[in-house]
Amino acid sequence: MAYPVTLIPGDGTGPEITEATRRVLDATGVRFIWHVQEAGLLVLEREGSILPPRVLDSIRQTGVALKGPITTPIGRGMRSANVTLRKSLDLFANIRPAKSFPGLRSRYSNIDLIIVRENTEDLYAGIEFQRGSPDMAELVDWLDAHTQVQLSRDAAISIKYISYAASRRIVKFAFDYALANKRRKVTAVHKANIMRYSDGLFLAVAQEVAREYPQIQFEDRIVDNMCMQLVQKPEQYDVLVLPNLYGDILSDLSAGLIGGLGVAPGANIGNEYAVFEPVHGSAPKYAGQNKVNPMAMMFSGALLLRHLGERPAAERLEAALGAVIAEGKYVTYDLKPTPDDKSAVGTSQVADAVIARLRHG
Ligand code: NAD
């Protein structure tokens, strides 16, 4: 059987890493029918949008997408394509694994973390009040009347919005992920000692859900302490589940623990659809130079294989990537001892090396 998958090359360096990743996925022996959908700056001029409706229609039809990065045009009042994708398809869970591989330049060698970030609410819900606006004045009047806090009139406000339902579905997702992937522990991260109602709700829901999964260990950590623990003893952690903002920050921290953006994959998952993409952006200054590392997108491809139920192929692909990283010969500049290392290879040569490993071990 062949899997229909929407393939979004994106812009900047996106098309190069997407082509390299498509070649590698085809070489795993799993059969795909790629529905290629262009998006990003290239189509903005032509179709008036960085994410035309046909792209979403395609994902609604195939159910899954592999996506290259898309540049967010600055100063045109345009929403990022990623935010639109997440909201339109209700991709409520953002999964970012951070795993050590021998050969990656990092201070640590034994990290195997899964960050599960809530993707739809928290301070990212878009409930904001601009300084000096009539709505802001009305809000300050109301808060003056209903709280003990005296608010300054020259302030701006962003609202932290955490719901029971969204907290429950993300924590359940983390526990189900732990079960399906033979993980031992889930850690909920919060600041419930200060934000007693919003983070307090998230923590209470996490504790409630944890009782439904007695076979998985559960603990919670306050976010600032969690940052210190991740730097001091990251090997003690397994699956972390976090509200949106802490998830955003700690997933970059975790990418830094394992050796950087060039190898950090991601997935955005909902009940109906899933979109796999590297954590990094479009790195436009390197566009068209066959220079950047395609491995973050290739690891995202391995997550896609797992999602499709092709676990053995996912493991073979990760092993091939691990072998190329460990050998250290056919890797891009970012995985070399210094960025100007003359022995660095290009994007498509990395794909050739991974394909050779897939074919010949
Ligand atoms: P970026 O991740 O594109 O690049 C930052 C730097 O990281 C690059 O200059 C490069 O040195 C390095 N880098 C990134 N990817 C690399 C790779 N594959 N191999 C080697 N080095 C790599 O971040 P940015 O410059 O802040 O963002 C550029 C654009 O991408 C912005 O418009 C931003 O909005 C967008 N963006 C898109 C996504 C997405 O589509 N998912 C994610 C993040 C940023």
Side-chain angles (χ1 to χ4, degrees):
M1 111 173 228
Y3 297 100
V5 175
T6 301
L7 187 67
I8 306 168
D11 58 28
T13 51
E16 299 159 59
I17 59 172
T18 303
E19 176 56 16
T21 303
R22 188 193 58 74
R23 284 172 52 212
V24 161
L25 285 171
D26 284 337
T28 61
V30 174
R31 289 176 52 228
F32 297 95
I33 302 165
W34 300 111
H35 294 230
V36 178
Q37 290 290 333
E38 287 190 356
L41 288 182
L42 299 170
V43 303
L44 176 61
E45 306 304 329
R46 216 166 55 214
E47 299 179 51
S49 162
I50 50 172
L51 193 75
R54 60 174 169 73
V55 183
L56 292 172
D57 291 345
S58 170
I59 302 173
R60 288 195 180 100
Q61 196 196 329
T62 61
V64 275
L66 180 64
K67 174 184 163 296
I70 295 177
T71 306
T72 307
I74 296 171
R76 300 209 207 176
M78 212 170 283
R79 212 184 191 193
S80 106
N82 299 307
V83 174
T84 308
L85 261 179
R86 276 179 215 156
K87 292 225 162 162
S88 311
L89 302 175
D90 196 19
L91 305 173
F92 64 86
N94 182 218
I95 314 298
R96 292 187 180 179
K99 187 169 162 46
S100 302
F101 280 94
L104 283 181
R105 247 155 280 280
S106 152
R107 290 170 197 275
Y108 307 92
S109 57
N110 48 1
I111 293 173
D112 189 4
L113 291 168
I114 304 287
I115 309 282
V116 178
R117 166 188 171 193
E118 203 286 325
N119 230 354
T120 64
E121 47 182 41
D122 195 351
L123 283 159
Y124 294 64
I127 314 167
E128 297 208 283
F129 296 86
Q130 196 176 6
R131 175 186 160 216
S133 68
D135 283 351
M136 179 67 194
E138 208 178 313
L139 180 62
V140 169
D141 287 344
W142 190 92
L143 290 168
D144 273 351
H146 292 85
T147 69
Q148 313 300 322
V149 188
Q150 281 301 304
L151 291 172
S152 162
R153 305 250 143 203
D154 65 358
I157 290 182
S158 302
I159 287 186
K160 179 173 170 103
Y161 167 80
I162 303 261
S163 74
Y164 175 85
S167 301
R168 191 171 161 84
R169 76 175 173 175
I170 196 68
V171 178
K172 260 188 88 56
F173 185 97
F175 275 95
D176 287 336
Y177 185 98
L179 270 187
N181 293 280
K182 302 192 170 41
R183 297 277 176 161
R184 66 194 154 83
K185 183 167 80 171
V186 171
T187 306
V189 184
H190 61 88
K191 187 85 184 171
N193 52 332
I194 303 296
M195 280 158 281
R196 288 173 299 146
Y197 297 139
S198 51
D199 281 20
L201 176 61
F202 185 81
L203 175 59
V205 172
Q207 289 163 336
E208 173 188 292
V209 173
R211 286 193 284 277
E212 297 164 23
Y213 294 83
Q215 61 280 61
I216 305 280
Q217 275 181 58
F218 173 73
E219 64 187 7
D220 70 275
R221 289 281 180 277
I222 293 177
V223 62
D224 37 348
N225 178 245
M226 186 76 241
C227 291
M228 191 187 73
Q229 302 256 332
L230 282 177
V231 172
Q232 285 195 324
K233 36 189 171 183
E235 70 287 349
Q236 292 190 0
Y237 294 91
D238 190 354
V239 177
L240 308 185
V241 61
L242 314 92
N244 209 339
L245 178 63
Y246 309 146
D248 193 5
I249 297 167
L250 265 67
S251 52
D252 270 35
L253 188 156
S254 306
L257 294 177
I258 55 143
L261 283 175
V263 290
N268 293 293
I269 299 183
N271 287 329
E272 289 175 88
Y273 312 109
V275 176
F276 299 84
E277 63 177 344
V279 169
H280 64 72
S282 56
K285 69 179 174 194
Y286 296 129
Q289 296 176 26
N290 188 38
K291 181 171 173 85
V292 299
N293 193 346
M295 286 181 165
M297 190 154 181
M298 291 174 179
F299 278 116
S300 307
L303 297 179
L304 162 71
L305 286 169
R306 279 215 168 77
H307 178 80
L308 295 172
E310 297 285 349
R311 184 179 284 262
E315 285 170 1
R316 281 193 298 114
L317 174 53
E318 282 166 355
L321 284 161
V324 172
I325 293 171
E327 190 188 17
K329 196 168 167 195
Y330 301 106
V331 294
T332 45
Y333 73 97
D334 54 311
L335 299 190
K336 292 286 185 184
T338 56
D340 55 359
D341 192 315
K342 295 274 180 293
S343 71
V345 303
T347 310
S348 62
Q349 287 72 40
V350 174
D352 296 340
V354 176
I355 292 169
R357 287 282 178 176
L358 278 168
R359 299 220 166 110
H360 311 295

